[in-house]
Amino acid sequence: ISMLGVLAFSPSKAYAQGALRIAAVVNDEMISVYDLKSRIALVAAFSGFENTAETQRRLAPQILQQLISERIRLQEAKELGVEAKDSEINNEKSALELQTKIKPGQLLKSLEANGIDTTTLLNQFKAKIVWSKMIRRKFNRNVQISDSEVDEAIDEIKRNKGKPEYLVSEILLPTDSTEKSTESEQLAPRLVQQILDGANFAAIA
Protein backbone atom coordinates (compact mmCIF):
# COMPACT_ATOMS: atom_id res chain seq x y z
CA ILE A 1 0.00 0.00 0.00
CA SER A 2 1.40 3.38 -0.91
CA MET A 3 0.38 6.97 -1.11
CA LEU A 4 1.78 8.88 -4.06
CA GLY A 5 1.30 12.33 -2.69
CA VAL A 6 -0.69 14.79 -0.65
CA LEU A 7 -1.24 18.30 -1.93
CA ALA A 8 -0.41 21.15 0.38
CA PHE A 9 -3.45 21.94 2.47
CA SER A 10 -4.02 24.78 4.88
CA PRO A 11 -7.42 24.45 6.60
CA SER A 12 -7.58 28.10 7.58
CA LYS A 13 -6.89 29.30 4.04
CA ALA A 14 -9.26 26.76 2.56
CA TYR A 15 -12.14 27.79 4.75
CA ALA A 16 -11.40 31.50 4.59
CA GLN A 17 -10.82 31.76 0.84
CA GLY A 18 -12.92 28.81 -0.35
CA ALA A 19 -10.53 28.49 -3.28
CA LEU A 20 -8.84 25.16 -2.62
CA ARG A 21 -10.99 22.31 -3.91
CA ILE A 22 -8.56 19.40 -3.57
CA ALA A 23 -7.46 18.46 -0.07
CA ALA A 24 -5.35 15.44 -1.07
CA VAL A 25 -4.57 13.09 -3.94
CA VAL A 26 -4.11 9.42 -3.09
CA ASN A 27 -2.85 7.25 -5.93
CA ASP A 28 -4.55 9.49 -8.51
CA GLU A 29 -7.83 9.60 -6.55
CA MET A 30 -8.94 12.96 -5.19
CA ILE A 31 -10.11 13.76 -1.71
CA SER A 32 -11.96 17.03 -2.00
CA VAL A 33 -12.37 19.81 0.51
CA TYR A 34 -16.07 18.91 0.44
CA ASP A 35 -15.16 15.35 1.56
CA LEU A 36 -13.10 16.82 4.38
CA LYS A 37 -15.82 19.23 5.49
CA SER A 38 -18.41 16.43 5.41
CA ARG A 39 -16.32 14.22 7.68
CA ILE A 40 -15.62 17.09 10.08
CA ALA A 41 -19.36 17.78 10.26
CA LEU A 42 -19.94 14.09 11.02
CA VAL A 43 -17.35 14.05 13.78
CA ALA A 44 -18.70 17.26 15.26
CA ALA A 45 -22.25 15.89 15.24
CA PHE A 46 -21.37 12.68 17.09
CA SER A 47 -18.93 14.27 19.53
CA GLY A 48 -21.23 17.10 20.55
CA PHE A 49 -18.85 19.83 19.34
CA GLU A 50 -20.20 22.85 17.52
CA ASN A 51 -19.08 22.79 13.90
CA THR A 52 -17.38 26.17 14.14
CA ALA A 53 -14.44 27.50 12.14
CA GLU A 54 -12.22 26.79 15.16
CA THR A 55 -13.42 23.18 15.34
CA GLN A 56 -12.80 22.76 11.62
CA ARG A 57 -9.30 24.25 11.90
CA ARG A 58 -8.38 22.02 14.82
CA LEU A 59 -9.81 18.78 13.43
CA ALA A 60 -8.88 19.19 9.75
CA PRO A 61 -5.31 17.75 9.83
CA GLN A 62 -6.18 14.55 11.68
CA ILE A 63 -9.47 14.08 9.83
CA LEU A 64 -7.68 14.48 6.50
CA GLN A 65 -5.16 11.83 7.53
CA GLN A 66 -8.04 9.53 8.44
CA LEU A 67 -9.63 10.06 5.01
CA ILE A 68 -6.30 9.32 3.33
CA SER A 69 -5.90 6.08 5.30
CA GLU A 70 -9.44 5.03 4.41
CA ARG A 71 -8.90 5.76 0.73
CA ILE A 72 -5.71 3.68 0.70
CA ARG A 73 -7.51 0.77 2.36
CA LEU A 74 -10.42 0.95 -0.08
CA GLN A 75 -8.03 1.02 -3.01
CA GLU A 76 -6.11 -1.98 -1.72
CA ALA A 77 -9.36 -3.86 -1.08
CA LYS A 78 -10.57 -3.18 -4.62
CA GLU A 79 -7.30 -4.50 -6.00
CA LEU A 80 -7.65 -7.69 -3.94
CA GLY A 81 -11.34 -8.10 -4.71
CA VAL A 82 -12.40 -7.58 -1.11
CA GLU A 83 -15.83 -5.96 -0.69
CA ALA A 84 -18.09 -4.81 2.12
CA LYS A 85 -21.48 -6.52 1.94
CA ASP A 86 -24.70 -4.60 2.50
CA SER A 87 -25.47 -6.78 5.51
CA GLU A 88 -22.09 -5.91 7.04
CA ILE A 89 -22.67 -2.19 6.49
CA ASN A 90 -26.12 -2.53 8.05
CA ASN A 91 -24.55 -4.20 11.08
CA GLU A 92 -22.21 -1.23 11.47
CA LYS A 93 -25.15 1.16 11.23
CA SER A 94 -27.09 -0.78 13.84
CA ALA A 95 -24.10 -0.80 16.21
CA LEU A 96 -23.66 2.96 15.87
CA GLU A 97 -27.37 3.56 16.41
CA LEU A 98 -27.20 1.54 19.61
CA GLN A 99 -24.07 3.36 20.76
CA THR A 100 -25.48 6.83 20.07
CA LYS A 101 -29.05 5.99 21.17
CA ILE A 102 -30.57 6.69 17.77
CA LYS A 103 -33.73 4.77 16.91
CA PRO A 104 -33.08 1.68 14.75
CA GLY A 105 -33.05 2.50 11.05
CA GLN A 106 -32.93 6.27 11.65
CA LEU A 107 -29.17 6.89 11.52
CA LEU A 108 -28.85 8.06 7.91
CA LYS A 109 -32.12 10.00 8.09
CA SER A 110 -30.85 11.78 11.18
CA LEU A 111 -27.65 12.78 9.41
CA GLU A 112 -29.50 13.98 6.34
CA ALA A 113 -31.83 16.04 8.53
CA ASN A 114 -28.78 17.80 9.93
CA GLY A 115 -27.34 18.49 6.47
CA ILE A 116 -24.58 15.87 6.67
CA ASP A 117 -23.66 13.88 3.57
CA THR A 118 -24.20 10.22 4.53
CA THR A 119 -21.61 9.06 2.00
CA THR A 120 -18.81 9.99 4.38
CA LEU A 121 -20.14 7.64 7.06
CA LEU A 122 -20.79 4.80 4.61
CA ASN A 123 -17.25 5.11 3.25
CA GLN A 124 -15.95 4.95 6.79
CA PHE A 125 -17.92 1.75 7.39
CA LYS A 126 -16.68 0.21 4.13
CA ALA A 127 -13.04 1.02 4.89
CA LYS A 128 -13.35 -0.51 8.36
CA ILE A 129 -15.00 -3.68 7.07
CA VAL A 130 -12.63 -4.38 4.16
CA TRP A 131 -9.58 -3.63 6.27
CA SER A 132 -10.68 -6.15 8.89
CA LYS A 133 -11.19 -8.72 6.15
CA MET A 134 -7.76 -8.07 4.67
CA ILE A 135 -6.09 -8.36 8.07
CA ARG A 136 -7.85 -11.65 8.75
CA ARG A 137 -6.96 -12.96 5.30
CA LYS A 138 -3.31 -12.12 5.84
CA PHE A 139 -2.85 -13.46 9.35
CA ASN A 140 -5.37 -16.28 9.70
CA ARG A 141 -3.13 -18.57 7.66
CA ASN A 142 -0.35 -18.10 10.20
CA VAL A 143 -2.48 -18.53 13.30
CA GLN A 144 -2.87 -22.00 14.74
CA ILE A 145 -4.74 -22.48 18.00
CA SER A 146 -4.27 -25.78 19.80
CA ASP A 147 -6.94 -27.67 21.72
CA SER A 148 -5.04 -27.02 24.95
CA GLU A 149 -5.15 -23.25 24.35
CA VAL A 150 -8.91 -23.44 23.79
CA ASP A 151 -9.33 -25.46 27.00
CA GLU A 152 -7.17 -22.96 28.89
CA ALA A 153 -9.31 -20.04 27.68
CA ILE A 154 -12.52 -21.84 28.68
CA ASP A 155 -11.08 -22.60 32.13
CA GLU A 156 -10.17 -18.94 32.62
CA ILE A 157 -13.72 -17.89 31.71
CA LYS A 158 -15.09 -20.37 34.23
CA ARG A 159 -12.69 -19.15 36.94
CA ASN A 160 -13.74 -15.54 36.40
CA LYS A 161 -17.47 -16.25 36.27
CA GLY A 162 -19.34 -14.00 38.68
CA LYS A 163 -16.37 -11.73 39.36
CA PRO A 164 -16.68 -7.97 38.75
CA GLU A 165 -15.74 -6.85 35.25
CA TYR A 166 -14.84 -3.35 34.17
CA LEU A 167 -15.03 -1.73 30.74
CA VAL A 168 -12.35 0.97 30.68
CA SER A 169 -11.99 3.63 28.00
CA GLU A 170 -9.57 6.51 27.75
CA ILE A 171 -8.92 9.65 25.74
CA LEU A 172 -5.21 10.22 25.17
CA LEU A 173 -4.05 13.78 24.53
CA PRO A 174 -0.50 14.06 23.11
CA THR A 175 2.10 16.22 24.88
CA ASP A 176 5.23 15.19 23.00
CA SER A 177 5.85 18.72 21.75
CA THR A 178 5.26 22.24 23.04
CA GLU A 179 2.61 22.87 20.40
CA LYS A 180 0.73 19.64 21.15
CA SER A 181 1.05 20.16 24.89
CA THR A 182 -0.47 23.64 24.66
CA GLU A 183 -3.28 22.39 22.43
CA SER A 184 -4.00 19.47 24.78
CA GLU A 185 -4.13 21.77 27.81
CA GLN A 186 -6.73 23.89 26.02
CA LEU A 187 -8.67 20.91 24.73
CA ALA A 188 -8.86 18.85 27.93
CA PRO A 189 -11.25 21.14 29.87
CA ARG A 190 -13.56 21.38 26.85
CA LEU A 191 -13.68 17.59 26.55
CA VAL A 192 -14.43 17.21 30.25
CA GLN A 193 -17.22 19.76 30.05
CA GLN A 194 -18.72 18.10 26.95
CA ILE A 195 -18.78 14.74 28.77
CA LEU A 196 -20.26 16.28 31.92
CA ASP A 197 -22.94 17.84 29.73
CA GLY A 198 -23.89 14.38 28.47
CA ALA A 199 -21.91 14.02 25.22
CA ASN A 200 -21.13 10.44 24.18
CA PHE A 201 -17.69 9.46 25.52
CA ALA A 202 -16.90 7.03 22.71
CA ALA A 203 -17.83 9.58 20.05
CA ILE A 204 -15.61 12.21 21.66
CA ALA A 205 -12.76 9.73 21.92
Side-chain angles (χ1 to χ4, degrees):
I1 300 176
S2 64
M3 181 179 69
L4 294 183
V6 179
L7 301 187
F9 177 68
S10 170
S12 58
K13 291 181 180 179
Y15 293 123
Q17 300 173 1
L20 186 59
R21 299 190 179 280
I22 299 178
V25 175
V26 184
N27 296 330
D28 297 329
E29 285 191 19
M30 181 188 77
I31 296 175
S32 68
V33 172
Y34 174 79
D35 296 329
L36 178 58
K37 287 185 176 182
S38 295
R39 181 58 63 85
I40 291 175
L42 179 71
V43 171
F46 281 119
S47 66
F49 290 133
E50 291 185 25
N51 190 13
T52 62
E54 172 60 21
T55 298
Q56 294 171 355
R57 183 199 65 77
R58 182 161 44 81
L59 293 180
Q62 63 201 71
I63 296 297
L64 179 59
Q65 188 57 53
Q66 181 183 18
L67 289 172
I68 290 169
S69 297
E70 287 177 9
R71 188 62 58 89
I72 291 173
R73 292 174 178 182
L74 289 170
Q75 290 173 353
E76 182 74 0
K78 184 177 180 180
E79 193 171 309
L80 295 174
V82 179
E83 297 180 347
K85 298 178 181 178
D86 290 342
S87 59
E88 294 168 330
I89 295 174
N90 288 334
N91 287 339
E92 291 291 331
K93 285 192 287 188
S94 297
L96 186 55
E97 286 170 341
L98 181 62
Q99 176 185 318
T100 54
K101 299 180 180 179
I102 295 176
K103 291 182 179 180
Q106 296 300 307
L107 176 61
L108 299 187
K109 291 181 180 179
S110 177
L111 294 179
E112 290 173 348
N114 286 279
I116 299 174
D117 189 343
T118 58
T119 303
T120 188
L121 180 61
L122 295 176
N123 284 341
Q124 186 177 25
F125 287 158
K126 290 175 184 177
K128 176 184 177 181
I129 292 167
V130 298
W131 186 247
S132 296
K133 288 183 176 182
M134 288 190 289
I135 292 296
R136 289 198 299 270
R137 176 183 291 187
K138 181 175 182 179
F139 291 105
N140 277 359
R141 292 171 296 182
N142 302 321
V143 176
Q144 293 183 348
I145 301 175
S146 65
D147 291 340
S148 61
E149 289 175 312
V150 173
D151 292 337
E152 186 177 327
I154 293 174
D155 289 340
E156 184 176 359
I157 292 172
K158 290 179 179 178
R159 287 195 302 270
N160 292 326
K161 184 178 180 180
K163 294 182 180 179
E165 296 184 12
Y166 302 93
L167 178 61
V168 180
S169 300
E170 67 176 1
I171 296 176
L172 177 64
L173 301 179
T175 58
D176 53 346
S177 69
T178 302
E179 181 181 357
K180 289 183 178 180
S181 179
T182 301
E183 183 176 343
S184 293
E185 287 177 2
Q186 296 172 350
L187 177 60
R190 294 203 297 270
L191 293 179
V192 171
Q193 190 58 53
Q194 289 284 342
I195 294 169
L196 290 176
D197 289 341
N200 183 276
F201 184 93
I204 288 181

